[in-house]
Amino acid sequence: MIQANLFLLATYTIFVSMKTPVDIWVELDARLSSFGQDAASREVIVRACQKNDWFEPEEIVDAVRSIREEFLSRDKIEHWLACYERPATLPSRTVLVVMAGNIPLVGFFDLLCVVTAGHRCLVKMSSKDAVLMSFVIDQLKKIEPDIPVAVYDGTTPFDAVIATGSDNANRYFRSLYAGVKTLLRGNRHSVAVLNGRETSGQLEALSDDIFSYSGLGCRNVSLIFVPRGISLRFASRRMNPKYLNNYRQRKALREMCGDPFFDLGFALLIRQSEFPQALSEVSVVEYDDLSQVAAWLREHDAELQCVVSDCIDHSRRVPFGRSQQPTLSDYPDAVDVMEFLYDL
């Protein structure tokens, strides 16, 4: 009896001493406040760029800053959670999160959602982003050793899966995880809609929406609607060497084939209504009336991640310069992750 009581006391002590998810995220915010400024985090950035040469140091810092500003504020988290009624008897499940690696820490949001919902998170990292994700998980373990987060070992059973990848990967996931409750994401694209009255500041911000992270993200704008007769210009900017190789190859190919394009010096503007196939190309569509654009957006809604604009309504519209800074409620593919988790 004494041993049983001691066990119960120890269990109770662990329970009451464990920080809440919100407390953990707020403390993580504090720990990341000097990211990129101290020697330890600069070393992490160097290793991350060595592991994935699409990553740029300043963009890693930008990604961490965006996570801190949008995901780790106590007020923002509490406001976000207030929109949900957490089930009183929600059982704790084990959720496998299969992460992409195209953008620094792109899988962090799913981890945050799983832990905040009260489940255990098994992390299957992308090799392209393993350095940064391992760093964050290490910080979380220092904040709360009992946090329910573990790196997937390939054998641990799980109850549900959240997986992000290409459309081909998505089809593979459907087969691999058949019989398990899944939230799967495939290819999406983002667009911008201009009316010709945008300020120089807005166009500069749009340049970030297009070219940040070498255009690799589904929130990167790759197709722009402009009023007929309007020409686009973007200031020159420093781009990743791998991106510039893609630009040179695409330019040479289009010149050889006689295909028309406008050369920005680091990207090609192409007059077409389809999403481009190359990172260094941006599609431009002229319109006569915004109703034409609205109709196109409705028809292609299932392909869209977000719409950057100041002149047209859309459920996933974001201001100029904000496409790469999603909020807690800007769910990828417009699928509410918390509803999925609360329904397990």
Side-chain angles (χ1 to χ4, degrees):
M1 177 65 71
I2 293 176
Q3 286 181 334
N5 287 339
L6 287 174
F7 173 77
L8 290 174
L9 178 61
T11 304
Y12 176 75
T13 302
I14 291 173
F15 175 77
V16 297
S17 65
M18 183 172 174
K19 297 179 175 68
T20 68
V22 176
D23 290 337
I24 291 171
W25 306 133
V26 171
E27 189 165 338
L28 179 62
D29 176 40
R31 283 175 171 264
L32 295 177
S33 61
S34 61
F35 187 86
Q37 302 171 31
D38 57 88
S41 63
R42 286 197 294 267
E43 189 270 337
V44 170
I45 292 172
V46 169
R47 288 194 293 113
C49 292
Q50 290 172 340
K51 187 71 173 179
N52 184 346
D53 49 12
W54 281 101
F55 284 1
E56 293 287 336
E58 60 273 18
E59 292 187 331
I60 292 176
V61 173
D62 285 344
V64 171
R65 180 169 56 246
S66 178
I67 285 173
R68 289 188 58 227
E69 292 176 353
E70 298 299 337
F71 296 166
L72 304 182
S73 157
R74 182 181 296 275
D75 288 345
K76 289 184 178 180
I77 296 172
E78 291 177 348
H79 177 75
W80 170 57
L81 292 177
C83 300
Y84 300 92
E85 185 174 345
R86 189 180 189 275
T89 58
L90 180 69
S92 179
R93 304 296 192 188
T94 298
V95 181
L96 174 65
V97 176
V98 182
M99 297 181 174
N102 53 323
I103 287 177
L105 293 173
V106 69
F108 175 78
F109 177 67
D110 287 331
L111 184 156
L112 179 148
C113 287
V114 172
V115 174
T116 302
H119 299 305
R120 183 188 184 206
C121 185
L122 286 181
V123 176
K124 191 175 190 303
M125 295 181 236
S126 166
S127 61
K128 297 176 181 178
D129 196 26
V131 173
L132 293 175
M133 190 54 63
S134 296
F135 168 77
V136 168
I137 292 175
D138 182 60
Q139 296 302 308
L140 292 174
K141 294 290 186 180
K142 291 177 180 178
I143 294 169
E144 177 50 72
D146 295 319
I147 189 170
V149 175
V151 176
Y152 183 51
D153 60 7
T155 63
T156 305
F158 47 85
D159 304 298
V161 176
I162 300 175
T164 304
S166 66
D167 286 343
N168 286 336
N170 196 298
R171 285 188 284 270
Y172 171 71
F173 293 150
R174 291 186 186 281
S175 173
L176 182 63
Y177 303 123
V180 179
K181 189 164 185 179
T182 56
L183 191 165
L184 306 180
R185 308 188 186 106
N187 292 339
R188 289 262 176 156
H189 309 273
S190 295
V191 305
V193 183
L194 311 185
N195 61 9
R197 295 190 293 273
E198 286 72 25
T199 66
S200 58
Q202 287 176 316
L203 292 178
E204 183 178 349
L206 175 60
S207 180
D208 291 334
D209 294 323
I210 300 170
F211 301 113
S212 293
Y213 307 113
S214 297
L216 286 166
C218 60
R219 297 183 67 89
N220 282 98
V221 168
S222 58
L223 188 151
I224 307 174
F225 290 93
V226 298
R228 191 171 302 281
I230 294 292
S231 59
L232 284 175
R233 298 288 190 277
F234 293 103
S236 179
R237 56 187 293 149
R238 180 185 177 278
M239 302 298 295
N240 181 283
K242 291 174 71 70
Y243 171 96
L244 289 175
N245 286 338
N246 179 274
Y247 156 72
R248 296 185 188 103
Q249 291 170 3
R250 296 301 298 184
K251 179 180 177 181
L253 179 61
R254 286 193 171 272
E255 287 176 335
M256 182 176 64
C257 296
D259 296 335
F261 62 87
F262 180 82
D263 188 4
L264 293 174
F266 59 94
L268 308 176
L269 298 183
I270 312 298
R271 298 279 182 180
Q272 62 179 26
S273 58
E274 296 81 29
F275 292 106
Q277 298 299 310
L279 289 174
S280 56
E281 295 180 348
V282 180
S283 296
V284 179
V285 181
E286 291 186 322
Y287 69 87
D288 297 304
D289 190 276
L290 275 174
S291 61
Q292 297 171 318
V293 181
W296 189 97
L297 294 178
R298 288 192 297 270
E299 182 181 351
H300 294 83
D301 188 67
E303 303 171 58
L304 301 179
Q305 194 66 270
C306 65
V307 176
V308 176
S309 182
D310 196 33
C311 64
I312 197 167
D313 290 328
H314 191 273
S315 59
R316 296 185 296 284
R317 185 179 75 174
V318 296
F320 290 96
R322 299 290 298 181
S323 71
Q324 296 299 338
Q325 300 174 56
T327 68
L328 286 163
S329 57
D330 286 332
Y331 294 109
D333 294 15
V335 179
D336 192 316
V337 181
M338 294 303 286
E339 284 189 359
F340 170 82
L341 294 169
Y342 282 155
D343 195 41
L344 294 180

